[in-house]
Amino acid sequence: MKPYTYFLILLFTVFVCFIASFDKRIEFHKHFGAFIKSAILVAIPYILWDVWFTIHGIWWFNFDYTSGIVIAGLPIEEMLFFICIPFSCVFTYFCFDTFFKLDWLSGFNNIIVFLSIIVCSLIALLHPEKTYTFVTAIATIIILIYLHFIVRATWISQASFVYLILMLGFFPVNGILTGSGLESPIVNYNPDEFLGIRMLTIPVEDAVYGYSQFLWVIYFFKLFQKRESSIG
Amino acid sequence: MINFLIVITVFISMEGATWLIHKYIMHGFLWILHKDHHDHSTDGSLEKNDYFFVIFALPAIALMYFGSLEGFNYVFYIGLAITFYGMAYFFVHDIFIHQRVKLFRNTKSSYFLALRRAHKQHHKHLDKYFGECFGFLYVPKKYFKTKK
Ligand SMILES: [Zn+2]
Ligand SMILES: [Zn+2]
Ligand SMILES: [Zn+2]
């Protein structure tokens, strides 16, 4: 059982959302195409980032909890992570977007972008030697500047709000990966390369990393969704 | 304690600075960025005027950065105060006055009503010159008395 731990975590994350996708009121399955395109598009740079960090020992995996199939230094489960986790995230966002009118939140975009950029810039400036911290802060600044000032996305606050709710799932899933309830963590972090602030077992950087990834996936998801509906 | 005083003092002086910046810079050589806030010429939810958030963020970041290098000295707290002022500006100007988020629509507080009236007066002037009420959190007395 132990070698399937990581796999089972992913399976569990996807399973509930997948079943619910076919619900008549949700019908998320109609958007699987747009989702898979956006997830793969975003997965590519994030997997490369992951591979690079693994090579440099910024984090590493405990293969006791994985099936043993390894590609480019990453267990196959870690690659699936970039499809499975965004799936439940986009699904949740989609549900909120369909059932609750969250458009009114868009007035908060200015303050969210303003504060996030100030905090991320400060942290990046103060800790350029901590690779995980630095790269995550920079990636988040870039996505926020791009979405707010170039794309002029109106949904930044909406997505941030949903991400806050997604924390309910993030804590158990990422918690187990980082060692909650296990003898040893599945993902281990080099203490020199991150701030060392953990929420339970999860490094704060993970939450910000997830946030940047989430924003990218939603951005492309909306793009492909629009394209599909304009064709269909 | 001294840091707290610094934050308060800088926060208050930011009101004066904002008045000067609004009057001589936003209605001066950076009018191109502020114009659409007066005539609503830009479509969508982001006005060019919102770039001023970035312009205020940069010195705040710089001050907090250099302040924290010196062991979080007064420079850091000046930056922090500017950040707080930016947040207050956002909540009062964006949310309360311009109703970007439909909250507190039916307030009865005379201060907030006066604030809104004064800012409306500022917005009546659609051009670069001849403006009034360039301040922001401080409201001239005359806007308090006009109660229906
Ligand atoms: Zn003005
Ligand atoms: Zn206006
Ligand atoms: Zn205004």
Side-chain angles (χ1 to χ4, degrees), chain A residues 103-115 117-128 141 145 147-155, chain B residues 42-48 50-54 56-57 60-62 64-65 68-69 72 76 82-83 86-88 90-91 94-95 100-103:
Chain A
D103 308 355
W104 60 274
L105 281 169
S106 69
F108 287 104
N109 287 357
N110 260 333
I111 197 75
I112 289 180
V113 172
F114 175 79
L115 283 181
I117 289 182
I118 287 186
V119 172
C120 287
S121 313
L122 268 182
I123 291 182
L125 283 167
L126 289 171
H127 300 283
I141 294 172
I145 289 181
L147 288 179
H148 191 55
F149 294 108
I150 299 171
V151 180
R152 299 185 170 210
T154 51
W155 46 266
Chain B
T42 306
D43 296 328
S45 53
L46 188 90
E47 298 175 348
K48 285 208 191 75
D50 294 331
Y51 288 117
F52 282 105
F53 266 91
V54 184
F56 281 106
I61 293 171
M64 286 197 277
Y65 171 61
S68 40
L69 288 185
F72 294 93
F76 174 84
I82 296 177
T83 307
M87 289 168 68
F90 164 80
F91 280 109
D94 281 25
I95 292 194
R100 281 186 170 184
V101 182
K102 308 280 177 244
L103 282 175

Side-chain angles (χ1 to χ4, degrees), chain B residues 22 34 37-38 40 47 49 89 93-94 97-98 119-120 122-123:
Chain B
H22 188 183
H34 187 51
H37 184 58
H38 280 267
H40 301 283
E47 298 175 348
N49 186 55
Y89 185 90
H93 180 261
D94 281 25
I97 296 174
H98 288 293
H119 196 74
K120 284 245 170 73
H122 174 70
H123 271 286

Side-chain angles (χ1 to χ4, degrees), chain A residues 150-210:
Chain A
I150 299 171
V151 180
R152 299 185 170 210
T154 51
W155 46 266
I156 297 173
S157 310
Q158 239 168 301
S160 309
F161 176 73
V162 173
Y163 190 71
L164 217 60
I165 297 190
L166 280 167
M167 284 288 137
L168 295 173
F170 172 86
F171 272 97
V173 170
N174 223 343
I176 299 174
L177 290 176
T178 52
S180 301
L182 295 181
E183 280 165 43
S184 61
I186 301 179
V187 190
N188 301 268
Y189 301 83
N190 181 340
D192 297 334
E193 305 290 2
F194 75 109
L195 289 176
I197 306 166
R198 287 182 189 251
M199 306 174 293
L200 305 175
T201 51
I202 306 165
V204 277
E205 285 86 347
D206 273 15
V208 183
Y209 175 95

Side-chain angles (χ1 to χ4, degrees), chain B residues 107-124:
Chain B
T107 179
K108 294 202 168 56
S109 146
S110 58
Y111 168 71
F112 280 115
L113 289 173
L115 190 77
R116 195 187 264 166
R117 235 175 262 133
H119 196 74
K120 284 245 170 73
Q121 193 59 37
H122 174 70
H123 271 286
K124 276 203 180 130

